[in-house]
Each structure stands twice: as C-alpha cells, then as structure tokens.
Amino acid sequence: MIIELNAQQTDELRVRIFKALADPIRIQIIRYLRRVNKETTCGDVSKVIKMSKSAGSYHFKVLREAGLTITRKDSREKYVSLNYDTFEKYVNHFLDSL
Amino acid sequence: MIIELNAQQTDELRVRIFKALADPIRIQIIRYLRRVNKETTCGDVSKVIKMSKSAGSYHFKVLREAGLTITRKDSREKYVSLNYDTFEKYVNHFLDSL
DNA sequence: AATATAGTTCAAAAGTATTTGAACTATTAA
DNA sequence: TTAATAGTTCAAATACTTTTGAACTATATT
C-alpha cells in the first residue's frame, strides 16, 4: 500500500531526510553502507565508525525514520542497507521535484 | 581561483549544505527562487514567505554560506538567485560523489 | 538636511539535536 | 541455567539552531 503525501507532508519528509543527512557521523555510515553494498549489521558499522552503542542506535534510528535505510531483524542482529529509492526520489531529484 | 577541498572539508561542506536544506522556510525560499527563475530581492521573497526581517536575513545567510545561493548587491537591495552548480554537484550527485 | 527603505547584527530566549551511561529486552552459546 | 552478545530506551547533560526586537549601516527620496 502506497501512501500519497500531500504538499506539506512532502516538505516535512524533505526536512526529515535533509536533517538525517546533515551530520558527519551519518554521512560516514551512509558512505560505509554504500561501499560494502550489502546488508550490514549495526555492530559491524560501529566497529568501523567509532561511536557508543546508544549513539549508534540513535543514528540508525534517524536514518531509518527518514526512509534512507531499510532494516531487517534476524535473531539478535539487525541488518541495515541503503534505501536507494529515497535517495533517488528526494535527494537526486530534489530541485526538480520542488 | 578554485579551492580544492580535502575529504574532511568536503564532508563539512556536505553537512553545511544539508543543514541549510533541512528547514521548511528555506525549502520555501528555494522553491520560490526556482519558480521565478531570476534574481529576486530578499524583500520580494519576504513578501511571499512570511517572516521577520531579521529571520529572513538569517535564512538567506545560511543558504549563501552553504553555497546554495548567489547574492549580488545593487545599491540598497540584495539580489538572490540559486547556485545550480552546488545543487548539481552536492545534492543531485550526493551518493555518487561519496 | 530629514525621512524612508533595504538589509545586517546583536544578545537573549526558546526550541531541537546529540551524547552519555546505566538499566533494559531478546536471543544465543557454554 | 548462567554468561555473553546485539541492540534499545531513558533521563540528564551538553551543544546547536532559530526567532525576536531593538539598534545599527548604507543608500535613496523629499
């Protein structure tokens, strides 16, 4: 089921996406996820990008809630990957879609 | 003279750009500048998008300092326009350029 | 010269985002 | 059943962003 957003909801989503991108740690996370180009656990990312467990959890939540990542839980671990559709629609085509 | 940015400076610029985009008023300003598609005074924009003089000044500064707009002063007025190069390089091609 | 207009700057206030460590849940391994 | 591991949640502390109004600079008009 696809939810159609009205103009204001779309702007709110744009703000949420750009806020998520506006942080150096989250840019590093995105860079890492893009380079490995496969599902990765939160723990794996935290090994490469130094941050506390709870800070990591917070940053992954910000990315997920902006729709920039997709998360799949498998037993104890959570696998994270980039949601390229969101980047394509809201980042790559930001100006065009305004 | 073109200043080459190192990797960290580039990430700092990315953060500055996304912070500038992560605000509903600045998204409205960008939308307006894109629609009129010509130089516009700060005052003209403030007539369309309701905000105080000083808030306007602040938002235009954030956009300018992120390199998203170009500003030209002509006597009392300041003409603002979008800097499409920055959008192209850092927003449209964000993921590719990481 | 006096007044109006366009925009900036400042400091205080209000609002948001981020980090921290400790306590927590859920699952796996010994 | 006890330990360890992966990740979340919470509240407090810290840091940052945005708004406000008043005072300011610079230019234009009367």
Side-chain angles (χ1 to χ4, degrees), chain A residues 78-90:
Chain A
K78 257 186 157 178
Y79 287 89
V80 186
S81 57
L82 294 180
N83 186 353
Y84 290 101
D85 289 356
T86 302
F87 283 92
E88 183 67 9
K89 184 164 179 186
Y90 291 99

Side-chain angles (χ1 to χ4, degrees), chain B residues 19 22-23 25-26 52-55 58-59 75-76:
Chain B
K19 272 187 201 290
D23 179 276
I25 290 179
R26 292 192 293 268
S52 72
K53 259 181 343 155
S54 52
Y58 169 72
H59 287 301
S75 75
R76 270 194 312 199

Side-chain angles (χ1 to χ4, degrees), chain B:
Chain B
M1 183 211 180
I2 292 149
I3 298 150
E4 278 285 349
L5 302 179
N6 66 29
Q8 199 198 304
Q9 289 169 328
T10 304
D11 270 10
E12 283 164 6
L13 177 54
R14 286 179 175 118
V15 169
R16 205 173 325 124
I17 289 169
F18 289 129
K19 272 187 201 290
L21 295 173
D23 179 276
I25 290 179
R26 292 192 293 268
I27 287 186
Q28 285 184 262
I29 293 173
I30 291 166
R31 179 180 287 122
Y32 180 80
L33 292 173
R34 181 174 175 276
R35 292 222 168 128
V36 297
N37 198 36
K38 61 171 162 60
E39 284 190 324
T40 309
T41 64
C42 296
D44 280 353
V45 178
S46 306
K47 264 170 221 147
V48 177
I49 297 154
K50 219 183 133 36
M51 55 185 163
S52 72
K53 259 181 343 155
S54 52
S57 194
Y58 169 72
H59 287 301
F60 285 115
K61 183 170 166 242
V62 170
L63 289 170
R64 180 168 26 79
E65 290 184 346
L68 290 168
T69 55
I70 290 164
T71 288
R72 182 176 65 83
K73 205 182 174 189
D74 182 357
S75 75
R76 270 194 312 199
E77 285 163 322
K78 258 186 157 176
Y79 289 88
V80 186
S81 57
L82 294 181
N83 185 354
Y84 289 101
D85 289 355
T86 301
F87 283 93
E88 183 66 9
K89 184 164 178 186
Y90 292 98
V91 184
N92 295 227
H93 295 101
F94 168 62
L95 259 194
D96 296 343
S97 66
L98 270 189

Side-chain angles (χ1 to χ4, degrees), chain A residues 41-43 53-54 57 76 78:
Chain A
T41 64
C42 296
K53 260 182 341 159
S54 52
S57 192
R76 269 192 313 202
K78 257 186 157 178

Side-chain angles (χ1 to χ4, degrees), chain A residues 38-93:
Chain A
K38 62 173 162 59
E39 284 190 324
T40 308
T41 64
C42 296
D44 280 352
V45 178
S46 306
K47 264 168 223 149
V48 177
I49 298 152
K50 219 183 132 38
M51 56 184 162
S52 71
K53 260 182 341 159
S54 52
S57 192
Y58 169 71
H59 288 302
F60 285 114
K61 181 170 167 242
V62 171
L63 290 170
R64 180 168 25 82
E65 288 183 348
L68 291 168
T69 55
I70 291 166
T71 287
R72 182 176 65 82
K73 204 182 173 188
D74 181 358
S75 74
R76 269 192 313 202
E77 286 163 321
K78 257 186 157 178
Y79 287 89
V80 186
S81 57
L82 294 180
N83 186 353
Y84 290 101
D85 289 356
T86 302
F87 283 92
E88 183 67 9
K89 184 164 179 186
Y90 291 99
V91 184
N92 295 224
H93 295 99

